Amino acid sequence: MKPKYGIIGCGNISRFHFNGLRKTGAEIVHISDINEQAATPYVKEFNSRFSKDYRQLIADPEVTVVSVLTSSKYHYDICMEAIKAGKDVICEKTMANNAKEAEEIAKASLASGKLFFVSYMKRFFPAVRKAKELLPRLGKIFSAQVRAYQNWGTDFYNLGNADAFEYVLNSYGGAVIKCAGSHMIDMTMNFLGRPKSLYANVDYVPGSKFDRKATALFEYDSGLVASFETATHKLSRIGYERNSWDEFIQINGVNGRIEIYTVLWDHPENNGALLVYYDNESETSTEYRFEAINPFDIEMAYFNECLEHRENGNPNVIDGFNVDMIIESMVESSNKKAPVEIDWKGI
C-alpha cells in the first residue's frame, strides 16, 4: 500500500525531507506547523490539508506515516501520540531529549508493530554504504577514530558566557554533541555496534550547559577501544574540502583500513564523500570517489520503499535510542569523572 504522509514541522530541515519525498513521488496529504506562513508553500505544492495543531494531523485517518521534523524537544510527545494512533513514524534526529524519553518511545514503537525510522541520513552516503560492504574484509578490528568538527562561526573557547546561544539549548536540549556529534555517534555504532562502557569529558562554555567540545572512549566486549571527539571551531580551511567541515572515520583491522571523509551536510551536492580502503594482503590503497548526491534523497527513497513493502530497516527506533543513550552516558561519565557501564534497558 502506498504510504500517505503527514509532515509535522516546516523549519529548515524540512526542505530536505520534502525534496526527497518529492523525488519519490510520495503523497503528502497533511502538513502541520504552528507557523502557517512556513507551511503554505508546501501546502500549495502538494495540495495537502493544513493544521496548526499537530494533533489534528495525527487524527487524520488518511495519514499513515507521520514525519516528525520539529525541534527535538517536541519529539517525545508527538512520537508517542503518533504511535498510540497506529501510525508509522519518521523522526528527525535526535529522537528524544534524553535517554528516558528515548527508551519509552522505543518500547512503545516496538510493542505497536508499526515501522519507525530515525533520520540519520549520513548512513546513506555511497561512501558509507560501500565502507559497510568492505568492513568484513578488515578482519578483527583493533582501533577506530571518529571526529566531528563543525565551524559555528564563533570562538566558543574564549567566550565569557553562552547567553546569546540559549536558543540552541532550548531547541535541541544540548549543543555540539546533539547537533554535530549525534550523526557520527550513529555512524560509529553503524560500523562497530554498541559499546559496553565509555569514558568521556564534556567541555562547556563557562557558567552554562552549552557543550562546545566532547571527547570519549568507547569500550567494546572484543577489547576494542574507539576514540570519538566532536567540537565547535573557527578554523576556516580544515577538513576534506578545506571549507571548515571536518568529519572523519578511520577503522583499522588486522587486514586493512577504512577511512571516510564526509562533506558539508547542507551542500552535499558540491562534492561526494570520500572512502579510502587499504588492503594489507595486496598492499594496495583504493580511493572511492562517488558522484555528489544528497543523502536525504536516498534516505527518503529507502524509507518510502520500506513503508510500501512493510519492511523494517535502519536507522530505526533502536538506532535512535542507541544514540540518545550514548549522549546521556557521555554526560554522566563527564560529571562523575569516571567510566560508566551502559545499561541498554533490554532494548
Side-chain angles (χ1 to χ4, degrees), residues 96-323:
N97 238 8
N98 54 59
K100 184 177 185 299
E101 289 183 356
E103 178 186 354
E104 291 181 13
I105 291 172
K107 287 181 175 177
S109 174
L110 294 170
S112 75
K114 293 293 184 176
L115 299 176
F116 193 116
F117 302 100
V118 182
S119 182
Y120 282 110
M121 50 74 181
K122 291 179 184 178
R123 291 193 185 202
F124 295 90
F125 278 118
V128 173
R129 299 176 108 178
K130 181 64 177 180
K132 185 83 171 182
E133 176 189 321
L134 294 171
L135 188 66
R137 298 189 191 181
L138 300 187
K140 183 177 176 63
I141 306 299
F142 64 86
S143 77
Q145 294 82 42
V146 182
R147 180 173 68 239
Y149 285 8
Q150 291 186 9
N151 185 345
W152 287 9
T154 298
D155 177 6
F156 288 99
Y157 303 99
N158 288 300
L159 198 65
N161 63 71
D163 294 350
F165 301 93
E166 191 68 25
Y167 71 93
V168 176
L169 302 181
N170 289 337
S171 294
Y172 303 104
V176 74
I177 304 177
K178 286 203 169 189
C179 296
S182 58
H183 273 292
M184 299 306 276
I185 292 170
D186 175 69
M187 292 266 271
T188 303
M189 287 191 284
N190 180 37
F191 286 109
L192 303 177
R194 289 170 161 177
K196 68 174 184 178
S197 64
L198 62 79
Y199 181 70
N201 175 267
V202 182
D203 179 37
Y204 299 90
V205 173
S208 79
K209 294 183 178 180
F210 190 100
D211 49 298
R212 57 192 177 187
K213 182 171 73 72
T215 307
L217 296 175
F218 300 157
E219 184 178 5
Y220 291 81
D221 287 328
S222 66
L224 168 68
V225 176
S227 65
F228 170 86
E229 187 165 78
T230 184
T232 62
H233 68 85
K234 272 196 71 178
L235 306 175
S236 60
R237 293 296 176 187
I238 66 169
Y240 164 49
E241 297 179 288
R242 298 295 183 261
N243 62 357
S244 82
W245 183 266
D246 188 22
E247 283 190 342
F248 167 78
I249 298 176
Q250 182 187 96
I251 302 173
N252 296 288
V254 294
N255 298 326
R257 167 186 285 182
I258 284 171
E259 296 175 359
I260 304 169
Y261 302 84
T262 72
V263 294
L264 192 61
W265 80 272
D266 56 351
H267 293 286
E269 67 279 1
N270 292 344
N271 208 342
L274 172 66
L275 166 64
V276 182
Y277 168 60
Y278 171 71
D279 177 71
N280 198 50
E281 182 177 357
S282 62
E283 296 186 340
T284 58
S285 184
T286 304
E287 290 190 357
Y288 292 88
R289 295 184 177 272
F290 297 90
E291 182 180 354
I293 55 90
N294 192 319
F296 279 101
D297 294 346
I298 301 175
E299 179 186 56
M300 290 299 105
Y302 170 74
F303 288 167
N304 192 66
E305 184 177 357
C306 288
L307 289 160
E308 281 190 356
H309 297 286
R310 308 307 304 162
E311 295 174 352
N312 198 4
N314 300 95
N316 59 26
V317 73
I318 297 176
D319 298 305
F321 164 76
N322 288 345
V323 174

Side-chain angles (χ1 to χ4, degrees), residues 44-154:
K44 289 181 177 178
E45 176 185 353
F46 294 100
N47 193 29
S48 64
R49 291 180 289 284
F50 170 77
S51 300
K52 279 193 172 183
D53 187 341
Y54 73 83
R55 296 171 186 84
Q56 294 179 15
L57 182 150
I58 291 175
D60 186 338
E62 191 177 10
V63 171
T64 63
V65 186
V66 175
S67 286
V68 185
L69 310 182
T70 64
S71 297
S72 58
K73 66 179 179 179
Y74 302 117
H75 287 181
Y76 174 79
D77 289 340
I78 298 173
C79 287
M80 292 297 280
E81 289 200 38
I83 293 166
K84 185 178 179 180
K87 311 293 186 181
D88 298 315
V89 177
I90 297 172
C91 184
E92 250 301 328
K93 65 91 180 175
T94 53
M95 188 173 79
N97 238 8
N98 54 59
K100 184 177 185 299
E101 289 183 356
E103 178 186 354
E104 291 181 13
I105 291 172
K107 287 181 175 177
S109 174
L110 294 170
S112 75
K114 293 293 184 176
L115 299 176
F116 193 116
F117 302 100
V118 182
S119 182
Y120 282 110
M121 50 74 181
K122 291 179 184 178
R123 291 193 185 202
F124 295 90
F125 278 118
V128 173
R129 299 176 108 178
K130 181 64 177 180
K132 185 83 171 182
E133 176 189 321
L134 294 171
L135 188 66
R137 298 189 191 181
L138 300 187
K140 183 177 176 63
I141 306 299
F142 64 86
S143 77
Q145 294 82 42
V146 182
R147 180 173 68 239
Y149 285 8
Q150 291 186 9
N151 185 345
W152 287 9
T154 298

